[in-house]
């Protein structure tokens, strides 16, 4: 079946033209015009040597690289530096193209590889300054030990790189060498550190929500916006930890037996009051904030910006500014995935009290953008004898280009991660003057730096980066943002606009930190105190960390919320804030003393009474005042708990009546395809009167359906099509164009042309938002929106324009549902055919793996050569098996469980794991996508750890020698 590929992302024509040149070069390499095949020599030249021996300069002893049938390497060395030097060498063997592209992206140098089409992207990334911050971390923050490991890793990469160019690196490098003589530079330690900035960017929290809420104000009232961001349902969906609070400068968990062995961590201290972090008036908890009362002509107390109905021009200015920013964000390469409701993860750990093994079981599956090769690389790093000079015996999932293991286990503990989602970014409006920017009624000079962007095949470009106390001016990187709203909404006390306001970004990741130190500390942690001490250094991105060990009768399970999470003055981070007013500044970083939530006051727990811990991007805890409430606001934009509560329910169902959970039960839970929204809506849809026989036939598919989204389910296909059309009719058509998907067009009343009556002038208005971030996306926030509105059959949200001039307007819930069922029937007829017996959810919901750059941007010939798929998948949006899709743009899979693992703390050799693709980044290598079909079926591979188990699984051994 041909691949069902989503449309190409919005990129510059220059990049496409250059990629076409690369394609033609690769075709010439084949020697057959447009490439019936690549020459064997070109394809195989870069394949890694996996047997025999190789000399690696810098090694002090031999290192054995043992690979199993899937090419997964286990490394054995006698000292730490040799171990990480070998890791760099092996990463480069399999993944150097990925590493090379990634380091050019993180340093804002994509134009050096791909030409002028990437200049604007590079300029934005240079403005953010990822590479600059990474350099400062390396120079000033990281420990000498970490620097030593980073240098050893870089030396290993460079040992592999020495003497190689073109086809010896990859087929992609072969094309670059011929077109422009491109030759990669040596790898540096800072190349590795900068990767953490890209990771933090894609997991940055609620910045997109902040933009979206502002843009919604063009067409929606504040009350309507609040309905689309409802409060988290704490009465129905549990947070991660319950009942703990801060006392005496420390977080005190509820129901955690004893605190003497927990440790306190070594995180930063803060000066902010634990009584609260903002002055904005709110009426909800969790995700919603309620309607904020604002007197006419006054300022919104949460943002300090004007909230006056007469300020229509100001609203337009701000909207233009934020629309341009949103488009810029869409153009930035997303290594990990769309920044929306889907990016998250599942992890949970069950005490040995409730497992068949008698020791904990720990599961993790991070939800990220599908990549080819996978963003993860499986590997074991083993000291032949653990000692002071060789401290590591660890295995798990690594990032190519970075030393250490990010998620996995060592001989003593296991750990997993999900995105905490803390609000660590704020947008600030800045009043600019020729000589600087206004702050606290004074003009402060910008911090200025000059950047030169080198362009392959073209002339270099120079840019100037201006930075305020709130961060870099990201508005400088867009023509539309150069003048920020000569009419942007501001309070009456705001300074003179001059030529308008600029936009600055305050983000915790732009302050140097020690997250790289945390990786190595996690890898050698031996108990919960050392795990928490490692977590204290994991400053960005802020992650939920779960823990397990095998000590004691049942082992131990635990949780820690780490991260650098700001304390704000006024404002709650939900809307852009006035940068000139010090009351809205963060209480730390550039504007004062340390002002982040102290590490000792961040939530944690050890061995909770319930016997398990679940993290799936739901709230960490319930914030507020009073008993059992957490006194700090971590964010107001959590996931809404559809996945987390389903996992809670599955665990509870399994352990009731003295039941026990096995390793295979954990795997089965990871593949759970149950749809919460289907369980809510299907009974209602089944009762809608339908006269059209074809629509009625489709409606019958829902009768008796158990709400699971298997890939062969016709009912799941039809329901999800109905759900997509409900969202479009009820919400999508009411969104401003800035949030609607590109090319989604409709007739609207032209602004400023008079009253809205039968003679009003209409214009054709098309959406401008990229497919991955358009709204409504159908995530579990929309589940909660509809859950609340569905009780009101005559809510204004259920109104819709008639399909034709002969139809009546839709005015009620059931009328809109009937229309959605009809539209879904004809949509699926067009996509899958009229015969319902051939319908299946997997035919709609397909995964195509796309190789970086050329595989995504090139014409069909190159996609065919480099890409793989499609795979017909089950699962869906906000299910445990989270194969995400954006309801505004279609059904194609946009994020996935990027890997899955289940760690068995009773016998580590009986742990299981799987990657999305394979170990190799070389097209046509046997390990390019050899795990993908197994992954799609929900299967897991054996995960050997001990030497005997590794030796038994080994098929190739390469010895690296000094």
């Amino acid at each position: 079946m041909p691949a069902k590929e989503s449309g190409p992302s919005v990129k510059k024509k220059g990049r496409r033209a250059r990629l076409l040149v690369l394609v033609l070069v690769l075709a010439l390499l084949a020697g057959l015009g447009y490439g019936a095949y690549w020459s064997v020599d070109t394809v195989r030249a870069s394949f890694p040597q996996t047997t025999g021996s190789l000399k690696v300069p810098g090694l002090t002893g031999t290192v054995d690289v043992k690979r199993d049938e899937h090419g997964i390497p286990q490394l054995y060395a006698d000292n730490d530096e040799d171990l990480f030097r070998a890791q760099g060498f092996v990463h480069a063997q399999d993944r150097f193209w990925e590493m090379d592209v990634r380091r050019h992206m993180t340093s804002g140098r994509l134009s050096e590889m791909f030409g002028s089409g990437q200049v604007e992207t590079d300029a934005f990334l240079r403005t953010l300054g990822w590479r600059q911050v990474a350099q400062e971390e390396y120079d000033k923050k990281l420990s000498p030990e970490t620097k030593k490991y980073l240098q050893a890793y870089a030396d290993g990469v460079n040992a592999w790189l020495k003497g190689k160019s073109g086809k010896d690196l990859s087929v992609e490098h072969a094309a670059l060498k011929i077109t422009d003589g491109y030759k990669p530079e040596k790898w540096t330690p800072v190349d590795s550190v900068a990767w953490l900035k890209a990771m933090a960017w894609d997991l940055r929290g609620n910045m997109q929500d902040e933009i979206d809420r502002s843009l919604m104000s063009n067409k929606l009232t504040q009350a309507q916006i609040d309905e689309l961001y409802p409060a988290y349902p704490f009465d129905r969906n549990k947070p991660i930890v319950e009942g703990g609070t801060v006392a005496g400068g420390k977080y005190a968990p509820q129901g955690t037996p004893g605190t003497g062995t927990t440790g306190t961590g070594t995180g930063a201290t803060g000066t902010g009051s634990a009584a609260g972090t903002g002055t904005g008036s709110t009426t909800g908890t969790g995700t919603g904030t309620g309607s904020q009362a604002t007197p006419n002509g006054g300022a919104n107390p949460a943002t300090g910006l004007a909230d006056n109905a007469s300020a229509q021009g100001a609203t337009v200015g701000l909207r233009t500014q934020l629309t341009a920013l949103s488009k810029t964000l869409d153009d930035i390469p997303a290594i990990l995935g769309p920044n929306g409701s889907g990016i998250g993860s599942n992890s949970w750990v069950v005490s040995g009290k409730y497992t068949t093994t008698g020791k904990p079981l720990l599961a993790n599956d991070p939800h990220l953008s599908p990549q080819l090769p996978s963003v993860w690389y499986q590997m074991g790093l083993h000291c032949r004898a653990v000692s002071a000079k060789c401290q590591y015996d660890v295995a798990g999932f690594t990032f190519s280009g970075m030393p250490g293991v990010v998620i996995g286990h060592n001989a003593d503990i296991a750990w997993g991660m999900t995105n905490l989602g803390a609000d660590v970014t704020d947008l600030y409006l800045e009043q600019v003057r020729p000589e600087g920017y206004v702050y606290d009624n004074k003009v402060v000079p910008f911090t200025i730096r000059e950047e030169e962007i080198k362009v392959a095949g073209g002339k270099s470009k120079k840019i100037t980066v201006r930075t305020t106390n709130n961060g870099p001016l990201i508005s400088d990187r867009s023509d539309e943002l150069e003048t920020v709203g000569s009419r942007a909404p501001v309070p009456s006390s705001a300074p003179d606009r001059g030529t308008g306001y600029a936009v600055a970004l305050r983000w915790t990741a732009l302050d140097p930190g020690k997250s790289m130190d945390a990786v190595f500390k996690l890898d050698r942690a031996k108990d919960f105190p050392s795990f928490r001490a490692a977590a204290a250094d994991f400053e960005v991105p802020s992650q939920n960390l779960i823990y397990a060990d095998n000590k004691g009768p049942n082992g131990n399970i635990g949780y820690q919320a780490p991260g650098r999470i700001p304390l704000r003055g006024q404002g709650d981070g939900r809307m852009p804030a006035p940068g000139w007013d010090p009351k809205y500044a963060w209480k730390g970083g550039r504007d004062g003393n340390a002002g982040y939530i102290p590490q000792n006051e961040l939530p944690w727990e050890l061995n909770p009474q319930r016997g398990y811990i679940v993290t799936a991007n739901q709230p960490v805890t319930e914030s507020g005042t009073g008993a059992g409430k957490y006194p700090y606001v971590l964010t107001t934009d959590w996931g809404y708990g559809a996945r987390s509560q389903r996992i809670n329910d599955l665990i509870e169902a399994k352990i009731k009546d003295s039941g026990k959970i096995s390793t295979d039960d954990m795997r089965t839970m990871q593949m759970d395809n149950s749809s919460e929204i289907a369980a809510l809506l299907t009974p209602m849809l089944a009762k809608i009167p339908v006269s059209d026989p074809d629509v009625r036939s489709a409606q019958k598919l829902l009768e008796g359906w158990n709400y699971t989204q298997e890939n062969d389910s016709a009912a799941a296909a039809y329901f999800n099509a109905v759900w997509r059309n409900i969202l479009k009719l009820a919400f999508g058509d009411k969104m401003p164009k800035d949030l609607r998907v590109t090319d989604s067009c409709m007739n609207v009343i032209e602004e400023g042309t008079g009253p809205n009556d039968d003679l009003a002038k209409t214009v054709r208005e098309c959406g401008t938002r990229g497919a991955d971030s358009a709204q409504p996306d159908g995530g579990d926030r929309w589940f909660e929106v509809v859950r609340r509105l569905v009780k009101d059959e005559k809510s204004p949200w259920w109104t819709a324009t008639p399909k034709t001039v002969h139809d009546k307007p839709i005015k009620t819930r059931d009328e809109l549902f009937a229309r959605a069922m009809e539209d879904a029937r004809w949509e699926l007829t067009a996509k899958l055919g009229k015969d319902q017996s051939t319908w299946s959810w997997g035919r709609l919901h397909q995964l195509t793996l796309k190789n970086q750059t050329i595989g995504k941007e090139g014409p069909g010939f190159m996609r065919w050569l480099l890409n793989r798929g499609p795979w017909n998948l089950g699962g869906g949006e906000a299910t445990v098996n989270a194969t995400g899709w954006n309801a505004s743009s279609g059904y194609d899979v946009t994020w996935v469980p990027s890997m899955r693992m289940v760690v068995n703390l009773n016998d580590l050799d009986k742990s299981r794991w799987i990657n999305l693709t394979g170990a190799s980044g070389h097209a046509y290598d046997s390990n390019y996508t050899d795990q993908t079909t197994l992954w799609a079926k929900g299967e897991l591979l054996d995960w050997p750890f001990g030497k005997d188990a590794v030796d038994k699984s080994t098929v190739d051994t390469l010895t690296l020698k000094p």
Side-chain angles (χ1 to χ4, degrees), residues 675-787:
S675 169
E676 177 187 284
I677 194 64
L680 173 69
L681 295 184
T682 299
M684 299 180 188
L685 296 173
K687 297 177 182 178
I688 300 293
V690 174
S691 57
D692 186 301
D694 289 319
V695 179
R696 174 59 185 141
S697 177
Q699 184 185 37
K700 287 181 179 180
L701 292 172
L702 303 178
E703 296 175 1
W705 180 43
N706 63 357
Y707 318 131
T708 60
Q709 302 168 98
E710 305 300 332
N711 66 351
D712 61 353
S713 171
Y718 182 59
F719 172 79
N720 282 315
V722 175
W723 170 237
R724 168 170 144 83
N725 280 279
I726 287 174
L727 290 170
K728 178 182 182 299
L729 292 168
F731 308 106
D733 290 348
K734 300 178 180 69
M735 292 285 173
K737 66 178 182 179
D738 319 88
L739 273 70
R740 299 201 312 272
V741 69
T742 302
D743 297 331
S744 171
C745 301
M746 56 191 298
N747 293 326
V748 298
I749 303 297
E750 185 175 9
E751 292 184 16
T753 59
N756 182 7
D757 57 25
D758 291 343
L759 299 181
K761 183 178 179 181
T762 62
V763 294
R764 194 72 171 160
E765 181 187 80
C766 296
T768 61
R769 181 64 67 85
D772 286 344
S773 58
Q775 294 295 333
D777 61 15
D780 63 356
R781 172 165 67 88
W782 294 100
F783 289 11
E784 190 63 23
V785 169
V786 171
R787 179 185 295 277

Side-chain angles (χ1 to χ4, degrees), residues 823-907:
D823 290 352
R825 176 38 161 130
W826 302 122
E827 181 184 5
L828 294 198
T829 298
K831 290 179 179 293
L832 303 179
K834 188 173 183 179
D835 184 358
Q836 293 174 193
S837 67
T838 68
W839 290 4
S840 70
W841 174 225
R843 285 183 62 199
L844 279 178
H845 191 52
Q846 293 185 322
L847 169 67
T848 299
L849 293 172
K850 300 178 182 180
N851 190 281
Q852 288 193 55
T853 60
I854 298 175
K856 292 182 178 180
E857 304 288 334
F861 162 68
M862 282 306 299
R863 296 182 188 184
W864 179 78
L865 287 173
L866 293 174
N867 298 345
R868 298 294 181 269
W871 284 266
N872 296 347
L873 300 186
E877 184 67 31
T879 63
V880 179
N881 181 22
T883 55
W885 55 287
N886 188 308
S888 286
S889 55
Y891 304 95
D892 287 341
V893 175
T894 56
W895 53 77
V896 293
S898 57
M899 62 80 160
R900 298 186 183 100
M901 74 175 193
V902 178
V903 182
N904 182 332
L905 273 297
N906 182 60
D907 185 347

Side-chain angles (χ1 to χ4, degrees), residues 30 33 172 186 340 476 601 919 962:
E172 297 95 338
K186 287 185 176 181
D476 283 351
E601 298 183 20

Side-chain angles (χ1 to χ4, degrees), residues 91-266:
H91 272 168
Q93 278 189 306
D94 283 331
R95 298 285 192 91
F96 187 71
W97 171 252
E98 172 194 16
M99 293 164 61
D100 202 17
V101 171
R102 181 180 294 163
R103 68 165 164 174
H104 279 79
M105 191 275 285
T106 57
S107 59
R109 296 172 57 195
L110 287 169
S111 299
E112 295 179 21
M113 297 182 79
F114 302 111
S116 60
Q118 288 301 296
V119 168
E120 290 185 22
T121 295
D122 283 346
F124 187 81
L125 294 170
R126 297 280 187 101
T127 299
L128 292 179
W130 293 352
R131 176 77 183 200
Q132 180 189 27
V133 177
Q135 184 71 57
E136 192 172 352
E137 287 184 355
Y138 184 80
D139 292 341
K140 300 178 181 179
K141 292 289 186 177
L142 298 181
S143 71
E145 183 180 55
T146 294
K147 292 182 181 181
K148 180 174 65 175
Y149 296 157
L150 287 164
Q151 187 61 60
Y153 181 90
D155 290 344
V157 175
N158 292 327
W160 178 84
L161 188 59
K162 186 176 181 180
K164 292 183 174 67
S165 65
K167 67 181 181 180
D168 297 324
L169 302 172
S170 70
V171 292
E172 297 95 338
H173 281 103
L176 285 176
K177 185 171 187 286
I178 291 174
T179 54
D180 278 320
Y182 174 81
K183 185 177 181 180
E185 299 173 352
K186 287 185 176 181
W187 195 266
T188 72
V190 180
D191 290 334
S192 298
V193 178
W195 161 240
L196 287 172
K197 299 305 169 186
M199 181 180 174
W201 175 255
D202 282 353
L203 301 174
R204 62 191 178 273
N206 77 335
M207 183 172 167
Q208 192 65 60
D209 287 318
E210 188 174 338
I211 293 170
D212 288 355
R213 279 189 288 264
S214 297
L215 293 174
M216 285 180 184
S217 63
N218 176 43
K219 292 189 71 173
L220 305 177
T221 67
Q222 185 60 50
Q224 289 173 318
I225 295 171
D226 289 340
E227 285 186 296
L228 301 185
Y229 287 87
Y232 183 86
F234 283 100
D235 59 333
R236 193 176 70 253
N237 296 342
K238 297 178 182 178
I240 297 172
V241 300
E242 299 177 80
T245 190
V246 173
K250 294 182 179 180
Y251 182 81
Q254 182 185 64
T256 297
T259 58
T261 62
T262 61
T264 60
T266 58

